[in-house]
Amino acid sequence: MPPNTTASTGQQPGKSGRKKGRKARLFVLVLVLAVIGGVAYGAYWSISTVRASFPQTKGSITLQGLTAPVDVKRDGNGIPQIYASSDDDLFMAQGYVQAQDRFYEMDVRRHMTSGRLSEMFGKSQVDNDEFLRTLGWQRTAQKEYDTKLSDATKKYLQAYAAGVNAYLEGKDAEDISLEYAALGFSNDYKPGKWTPVDSVAWLKAMAWDLRGNMQDEIDRSLMTSRLGPKQVEDLYPRYPYDRNRVVVQQGRYDEVSGTFDGGADGTAEEGTGDGGADGTSEVPAGGTGTSADASGLQSQLAGLYDELEDLPEAVGVNGNGIGSNSWVVGGEHTITGKPLLANDPHLSASLPSVWYQMGLHCRTVSDKCRYDVSGYTFAGMPGVIIGHNQDISWGMTNSGADVTDLYLEKLTGDGYLYDGKVKPFTTYEETIKVAGGTPKKIVVRETNSGPLLSDRDDELVKVGRKATVDTAAPDRGDGYGISLRWTALEPGRTMDALFAMNKAADWDDFRAASALFEVPSQNLVYADTENHIGYTLPGKIPTRAKGHDGWVPAPGWDSRYRWTGYVEQDELPHEYDPDRGYIVTANQAVVGEDYPYTLTTDWGYGTRSQRITDLVESKLKGGGKVSTEDMRQMQMDSSSEIAKLLVPQLLKIDVGNKDVRDAQKLLEGWDYTQDADSAAAAYFNSVWRNVLKLAFGNKLPKELRVQGQCLWVEPVDTTGPVDDDRRVRECGQRDADQAQPDGGDRWFEVVRTLMADEDSEWWTTPKSGTRPGADDRDGLFKRAMIDARWELTAKLGKDIDSWSWGRLHRLFLKNQTMGTSGPGFLQYALNRGPWELGGGEATVNATGWNAAGGYGVVWVPSMRMVVNLDDFDKSKWINLSGASGHAYNAHYTDQTGKWAKGELLDWSFTKQAVDSHTDDTLVLKP
């Protein structure tokens, strides 16, 4: 989505002035608005100005380039269904209609993907643009369009762009959206024409936010400044294969044929490996990122984190805990006799929602017009991303496959070291235009691993001269650079895949289409009207040499750390009509430990997936059948798995204090359901947050802790106990929604693993004022219950009868450019909320919150759908916000209230059903 402009909580000592300027984000410009006369506001922000950009939804409009009339039918929620007689007309109309509702959002997205935010928002975005130009999304998208995509796909992209440009034709910026009117106060920016490459580049932004374990790779390396190897391992436990089931349970890799057998007659095998990594630290000589001294590597990676933190999120926060749910139940187990498929991707809350609901219908499906598809689209891209056509349905969750690696690079004046020789950089000169300022030129350098990210910040190249490294490693000198290898920076055919999926008629078609879906790697679930279900994992997933598993940055100067290739499509996991009759994907491990390739070392830990599995199996017990309503209720399940583990132990503890005991009583008889009105959920989640803070958070390095939270700690070079007067004050450096411990299901597993070790060093915490210290598990739990009681007293009041989880756990929807740091009147105009929500972290109803930062909702089920393969008109869907991106339009947030309650809307597909729900009809004429 557009840039996240949430104001920082302050700058820590030692941070550069440039960093401080970057934290201002987009809104240096909107301060201009604050000095304009108040009377002028009243005149300028008139009702007519606000409504000027609302789309025409009735009557007719002439579009040059159409070959025949196109009907655009909108229901009571403003959701459009388009009817055309040719593919080109269909996608041209899609471009026009999406621009009607969402062009400002589309425009910001393309400026983000191309590194041109400064053209819209001025010098505050120059640093972001430098980094985005270095990543080179637009360069890669151009290569993709020029060399990889099919002629048919290019034709559709051109038609879509023509539709967008037809909408822009003759319009002033303020006629397009309210945001442009605000921009007009400070610069003369005018939107340019849309291009096909603008659509392709959006795939790179989507892939960036779903890129896998790069954040874990950084975090683990940062942890080494304060934690030893065993302690880091404690915080990254192995996947619990014995407790939480993998996605593919009946498939098997055949070493003889080199293929994965995902047929219905496959049998599961118990594995003895660990998914391709043998758990040893065998690596080629020459040193790894872990052999660098702590201060040097910490400096590099902290600087890299600062850069990544400031990049605008495209579709979601990339962090532990975020994910998605999708599952499919075969017809044998449903009341309709045909499959049911559910999906709810978990992404950052944004306004408007990242999704745009739409139907694309050929009046007659033929060689001239081949599409009859409905579902969730991205404004700015033709086709449907998730949904169904007349024959099949599909859903997606992020696989978490490790498709990125960071490389340490030994730089010289002429290039970089590789196998003992100096190789020249590949370079690009880029000019960044700045609204109201002077253009800036930069040079982007690439190694054979990828773009040199360290060129964008001096902190990335400052490394300690006292490093102790293996003797074969190159001299550190002034430091190593950092480059990024990432599959999305190689031209691919994902756009071809989307169109192929949209018109697939059966499993073979779908598998062939998914083979083109190279980036980002996604779990794809499938169902069809012929009563088949399936799963496939597509994607360009790298293979690595033994000893290099993507756990930490690798030495770029050694060819033995290069990727050795990619897993072939036939070798990737898939499953078709499994005997159990259902398939669940929720970011858990895809395959068992016998699979020969390392897909990732950082799966989700399976909390949500196992809960969904248990819910499905409970419905099937005794021959039961699943309904559409059952699927909806499962999506709203808010049971806390960590509460089931901890509450029995918490109730055994004698807390002594009457007020704390009153709060403890809330947990007696609690069913672990995190409803918005639950006082027990409020108290437990506060206890959980304080357990994490006391046991782990206060022991992490400053680079992982919340910005502005300060602790007195022992110096990092301490080898033994020190006096209090030798302790140093360290303040956290991370934004609250990205800090650790975030409380996701990795932390569930950390605590579960440590529960039996009551005297673990992790359970120790010092005394603080009148609050007791602890030297064992129950002592720390008691302290957490005390701290939680007084935290909630401060936040919710002393009377526990007034407590509720929803009062803590609130959702605010904010416009992601002008609704976060602008003048109050503009925030009021663009933002909505709050909504008090149930659900929580790693629950099926995953209204995520970051335990290190607070209780506010950070990510959400960005949409929900349940597809009925027996009768598509009985399918259900909902969006986080609404169809419109225009503030004060009736469809800006008209779905949010229903979404918050777990309700779903009717999803019409057949022409008869669409007609019966149509409120407005617009005819686009040639």
Side-chain angles (χ1 to χ4, degrees), residues 370-393:
R370 291 173 283 185
Y371 295 88
D372 189 16
V373 61
S374 182
Y376 294 87
T377 72
F378 287 141
M381 275 178 53
V384 169
I385 309 298
I386 295 172
H388 70 82
N389 60 27
Q390 69 272 34
D391 297 310
I392 74 165
S393 178

Side-chain angles (χ1 to χ4, degrees), residues 430-588:
E430 300 275 352
T431 300
I432 298 172
K433 297 179 181 179
V434 182
T438 304
K440 181 176 183 179
K441 290 187 176 182
I442 65 169
V443 175
V444 174
R445 300 189 295 175
E446 292 184 355
T447 72
N448 58 7
S449 296
L452 201 61
L453 305 185
S454 49
D455 279 352
R456 302 284 71 91
D457 194 317
D458 291 342
E459 288 300 312
L460 296 176
V461 296
K462 292 178 181 178
V463 212
R465 292 178 177 271
K466 300 179 181 180
T468 302
V469 296
D470 294 347
T471 56
D475 180 74
R476 184 175 294 276
D478 288 332
Y480 298 139
I482 295 180
S483 64
L484 169 68
R485 185 157 191 193
W486 177 35
T487 55
L489 298 183
E490 302 172 17
R493 297 187 61 189
T494 300
M495 190 64 76
D496 284 344
L498 291 176
F499 291 114
M501 288 166 57
N502 280 197
K503 58 182 173 52
D506 55 27
W507 173 246
D508 289 340
D509 284 353
F510 186 75
R511 280 272 291 161
S514 68
L516 304 174
F517 201 102
E518 296 175 340
V519 177
S521 176
Q522 296 287 286
N523 296 309
L524 300 180
V525 294
Y526 165 94
D528 63 37
T529 56
E530 297 299 315
N531 226 347
H532 300 291
I533 64 173
Y535 162 87
T536 188
L537 175 70
K540 184 179 282 187
I541 300 176
T543 55
R544 298 171 172 87
K546 184 179 177 65
H548 173 37
D549 58 8
W551 182 258
V552 291
W557 53 81
D558 191 331
S559 63
R560 288 170 290 183
Y561 287 87
R562 300 284 294 171
W563 292 354
T564 59
Y566 300 96
V567 183
E568 295 291 336
Q569 178 70 17
D570 287 344
E571 298 178 282
L572 287 170
H574 55 277
E575 194 170 41
Y576 185 62
D577 285 341
D579 293 340
R580 65 188 179 279
Y582 64 88
I583 300 170
V584 175
T585 81
N587 316 111
Q588 79 270 39

Side-chain angles (χ1 to χ4, degrees), residues 49 164 185 200 785:
T49 301
V164 176
F185 281 119
V200 178
M785 286 195 286

Side-chain angles (χ1 to χ4, degrees), residues 348 567 872 886:
S348 291
V567 183
F872 287 122
H886 300 287

